Amino acid sequence: TQLLEQSPQFLSIQEGENLTVYCNSSSVFSSLQWYRQEPGEGPVLLVTVVTGGEVKKLKRLTFQFGDARKDSSLHITAAQPGDTGLYLCAGIRSSNTGKLIFGQGTTLQVKP
Amino acid sequence: GAGVSQSPSNKVTEKGKDVELRCDPISGHTALYWYRQSLGQGLEFLIYFQGNSAPDKSGLPSDRFSAERTGGSVSTLTIQRTQQEDSAVYLCASSLGPVQNYGYTFGSGTRLTVV
């Protein structure tokens, strides 16, 4: 049973299009992080969201944490080929543990 | 070093052999984590070290898996009597402090192939 479900699992779009990736759970998380992973490398942290309803922007990327802290979304505006990669959401159940629970990832391919 | 260093980067081993995977975290990072990633999948938690506390081993899939962290720095993940289902990328990460504040810094991983 996957505690964090990401959708879609695979997305192939043209440069300039917009997209949204979803990360859903039936469990509450104290905070949630998004990572991006390129082939042959480890994931790299993009953002941490902590407060229910929180919205954070990182250039063309917008991250939102659901009001109930059970879900999150990543929206990319005007995607670029450099955005290609595996996007992973990861939740923290309790601030007392450092253990992250990862979703299965969304593979994004942006074609020029 | 500047980042988390893992070695070897690739390892091919025969079924039944033992393997050791090494992780050298960022200096000063007190927390160290091991995850594994199967092809196209998310990351599966294996084990977590925090300072001098007893490690959280709750993710180790069987007693063939073990890990140690010597001197609060370098960690070794050992897989005994490897099986084909152990084939995966093994990722190590370290963190300077509370993960919600600092996140993980990952190494590039060790790709293990059991033939």
Side-chain angles (χ1 to χ4, degrees):
Chain A
T1 302
Q2 191 73 30
L3 201 56
L4 276 170
E5 295 282 348
Q6 284 189 240
S7 63
Q9 292 192 25
F10 184 80
L11 194 54
S12 181
I13 61 172
Q14 293 295 136
E15 181 177 0
E17 293 184 4
N18 301 333
L19 68 116
T20 302
V21 176
Y22 299 94
C23 176
N24 295 304
S25 177
S26 57
S27 300
V28 175
F29 291 93
S30 66
S31 59
L32 197 139
Q33 297 180 335
W34 285 90
Y35 289 78
R36 178 168 165 262
Q37 185 179 22
E38 297 192 43
E41 300 295 328
V44 175
L45 177 66
L46 296 174
V47 77
T48 302
V49 284
V50 179
T51 306
E54 182 176 6
V55 176
K56 281 192 173 179
K57 292 192 175 182
L58 186 66
K59 296 183 180 178
R60 295 176 292 100
L61 278 61
T62 301
F63 304 86
Q64 185 164 6
F65 201 13
D67 291 341
R69 306 208 314 277
K70 293 183 179 181
D71 55 82
S72 181
S73 64
L74 157 61
H75 182 79
I76 301 179
T77 303
Q80 305 293 314
D83 296 327
T84 293
L86 177 67
Y87 289 82
L88 295 154
C89 66
I92 301 162
R93 295 292 298 276
S94 164
S95 58
N96 292 329
T97 175
K99 189 167 66 179
L100 281 173
I101 298 167
F102 282 84
Q104 76 272 44
T106 295
T107 299
L108 172 64
Q109 180 185 59
V110 182
K111 294 178 280 189
Chain B
V4 177
S5 178
Q6 291 189 247
S7 61
S9 54
N10 280 285
K11 176 73 176 178
V12 179
T13 189
E14 292 181 351
K15 178 181 171 181
K17 294 284 179 68
D18 298 351
V19 295
E20 286 190 352
L21 312 180
R22 177 187 168 104
C23 174
D24 201 343
I26 294 173
S27 178
H29 281 201
T30 57
L32 186 148
Y33 312 84
W34 284 98
Y35 284 77
R36 73 176 175 182
Q37 185 175 32
S38 300
L39 187 62
Q41 298 295 309
L43 278 66
E44 174 190 6
F45 168 76
L46 296 177
I47 188 168
Y48 158 40
F49 297 89
Q50 173 61 61
N52 295 321
S53 302
D56 177 349
K57 304 179 181 180
S58 60
L60 295 178
S62 77
D63 59 9
R64 297 187 295 105
F65 288 72
S66 62
E68 62 177 19
R69 187 178 185 192
T70 53
S73 180
V74 172
S75 177
T76 303
L77 176 68
T78 301
I79 309 173
Q80 296 179 310
R81 304 180 302 282
T82 52
Q83 304 295 312
Q84 288 185 330
E85 60 262 29
D86 299 334
S87 296
V89 175
Y90 289 81
L91 289 162
C92 175
S94 67
S95 182
L96 178 62
V99 67
Q100 60 268 27
N101 297 333
Y102 294 93
Y104 289 178
T105 301
F106 282 92
S108 297
T110 294
R111 180 175 297 278
L112 176 66
T113 304
V114 182
V115 297

